[in-house]
Amino acid sequence: MILEMKVPSPGESITEVEIATWLVEDGDYVEKDQPIAEVDSDKATLELPAEESGIITLKAEEGDAVAVGAVVCLIDTSAAKPVGDAPKVEVKKEENKVEVKEAPKAATYATGTASPAAKKVLAEKGIQASAIKGTGKDGRITKDDAVNAVPSMGTQPSNGSRNTERKKMSMLRRKVAERLVTVKNETAMLTTFNEVNMQPIFDLRNQYKDAFKAKHNVGLGFMSFFTLAVVRALKMYPDVNSMIDGDYQISNDFQDISIAVSGPKGLMVPVIRNAENLSFRGVESEVKRLALRARDGQITIDEMTGGTFTITNGGVFGSMLSTPIINPPQSGILGMHNIVNRPMAVNGGIVIQPIMYVALSYDHRIIDGRESVGFLVAVKEALENPVELLMDNNPAKALEM
């Protein structure tokens, strides 16, 4: 029996995927549920498991965009599983071949002449037609020649390599690029900044991190402090937790916090659901779970959709300051950065304190300056006074929950 394997729907609104990598070769015997391919959607990279055991015949190439429901391979379920690893024998036929060399074609008026479409592309790239060898009839420069042409980067040095590589971006990367441009073009995005003295959090972590780790089997990091500070600020300034839908403002009475993490296939943004109901342990456990799933390529579409606000941490890569881009359809995103010891005025004196710069990018169409600045100040206040504002003056109890 020949089984047709079709592309399953990775999630709502996704109509096509791209074959990123085949994990098997044409003619291989595959087991049921064995991963046979990695497919890229515009939201994530997912594994495609074999639906039955048998000999597989591939019907799509790597890099092909295929519609949801399209057949990508056939599995002959009646084929017996091969015994052992039988060597493949290749039979080569040698034939006497007479190589006929074509005489070089004489140059014509078309040689080196760009077609109208090619002229436009070359003009946009700033490339002279004389620098391109045409592949069209009689040496004419076609549009494809112009599209594939790479501008000169100067005279190649005699002692160095100047190789270039042209490869297609993954569907996920292309979608991210499209969304970033859309945000810049369709939102009134502004960014406000502040600084946070991290010493109080350093003191708490130094005092409780070992006991927290032993009790909950998860580290006490910065993300739980920031997540709970954001939850508190969102309750104080609900416009930051809302979004625009046409002529309407959608407000949420819950806080689903998206956490930007770097995965093997690019940026992933899994969501901590109902963060307002979580303790320090709950946030740290959920962050660890989602980060591991993103790292291992197991994250699902459902786990990355529906957030109401995003936190991103460029500090893990050494960023001092940045203007994070809003994650649509959300209206705000908080950027964390690296922590640096800086001189700070305290009680009339200069002391060295661990300082982090924080940034809030927001959609000014729905969030005014008062709300944006007030929100970030509320985050700063909670981080600089976590015992009172996040732990109800009982850190031992808050960290045991």
Side-chain angles (χ1 to χ4, degrees), residues 249-260:
Q249 175 176 338
I250 308 298
S251 300
N252 305 296
D253 64 354
F254 56 90
Q255 286 80 40
D256 283 355
I257 307 301
S258 304
I259 305 292

Side-chain angles (χ1 to χ4, degrees), residues 10-319:
E12 187 179 355
S13 78
I14 297 177
T15 59
E16 70 173 13
V17 299
E18 186 174 284
I19 305 297
T21 306
W22 281 111
L23 304 177
V24 296
E25 295 183 359
D26 196 59
D28 283 355
Y29 185 89
V30 298
E31 300 283 358
K32 183 179 180 180
D33 296 328
Q34 173 188 343
I36 60 173
E38 290 182 351
V39 296
D40 282 342
S41 73
D42 58 12
K43 295 183 179 178
T45 298
L46 306 172
E47 285 188 344
L48 184 67
E51 295 177 5
E52 295 291 344
S53 301
I55 301 294
I56 192 167
T57 302
L58 308 184
K59 291 296 184 181
E61 301 288 338
E62 290 185 358
D64 284 355
V66 291
V68 169
V71 176
V72 289
C73 65
L74 306 176
I75 299 179
D76 183 358
T77 59
S78 61
K81 182 177 181 179
V83 179
D85 295 327
K88 295 181 180 180
V89 180
E90 294 184 2
V91 179
K92 295 183 179 180
K93 295 181 179 181
E94 295 186 0
E95 300 178 357
N96 293 327
K97 295 183 179 180
V98 178
E99 184 177 351
V100 179
K101 294 185 178 180
E102 294 185 6
K105 295 181 178 179
T108 70
Y109 74 92
T111 304
T113 301
S115 68
K119 282 183 181 179
K120 182 178 179 181
V121 174
L122 291 177
E124 292 173 351
K125 291 186 173 184
I127 301 175
Q128 297 294 325
S130 58
I132 306 300
K133 184 176 181 180
T135 60
K137 184 177 180 181
D138 295 330
R140 182 182 291 273
I141 299 172
T142 66
K143 182 180 179 181
D144 284 343
D145 295 333
V147 169
N148 294 327
V150 179
S152 173
M153 300 300 291
T155 303
Q156 180 173 340
S158 59
N159 60 347
S161 173
R162 294 173 62 82
N163 296 323
T164 59
E165 179 184 6
R166 179 185 176 90
K167 65 177 182 179
K168 189 175 183 180
M169 295 187 296
S170 68
M171 181 176 287
L172 174 61
R173 175 54 61 185
R174 298 199 304 271
K175 187 62 178 181
V176 168
E178 178 185 326
R179 284 164 63 90
L180 294 179
V181 173
T182 298
V183 170
K184 297 290 286 185
N185 291 339
E186 297 184 2
T187 66
M189 194 182 84
L190 293 178
T191 306
T192 184
F193 304 94
N194 217 313
E195 63 179 11
V196 176
N197 182 357
M198 299 291 290
Q199 190 62 55
I201 294 178
F202 272 45
D203 293 340
L204 283 169
R205 292 182 71 243
N206 289 336
Q207 183 177 353
Y208 293 102
K209 66 180 180 181
D210 292 338
F212 188 88
K213 175 74 173 179
K215 183 176 179 62
H216 303 304
N217 195 32
V218 66
L220 178 60
F222 296 117
M223 193 55 70
S224 54
F225 288 93
F226 274 84
T227 300
L228 296 179
V230 162
V231 166
R232 173 181 176 270
L234 289 175
K235 291 178 180 178
M236 297 171 63
Y237 298 94
D239 281 350
V240 184
N241 197 44
S242 61
M243 56 192 68
I244 290 179
D245 182 13
D247 293 333
Y248 294 87
Q249 175 176 338
I250 308 298
S251 300
N252 305 296
D253 64 354
F254 56 90
Q255 286 80 40
D256 283 355
I257 307 301
S258 304
I259 305 292
V261 298
S262 180
K265 296 293 184 178
L267 185 69
M268 305 284 183
V269 194
V271 180
I272 300 176
R273 305 290 180 189
N274 290 106
E276 73 277 6
N277 296 331
L278 297 180
S279 62
F280 282 83
R281 178 195 64 81
V283 172
E284 293 293 354
S285 298
E286 190 67 358
V287 168
K288 179 181 178 181
R289 183 185 73 85
L290 292 171
L292 289 175
R293 288 177 61 78
R295 183 198 67 186
D296 297 338
Q298 298 176 342
I299 203 79
T300 65
I301 299 299
D302 289 340
E303 289 174 312
M304 292 194 295
T305 54
T308 62
F309 185 87
T310 295
I311 301 175
T312 181
N313 186 5
V316 296
F317 305 112
S319 173

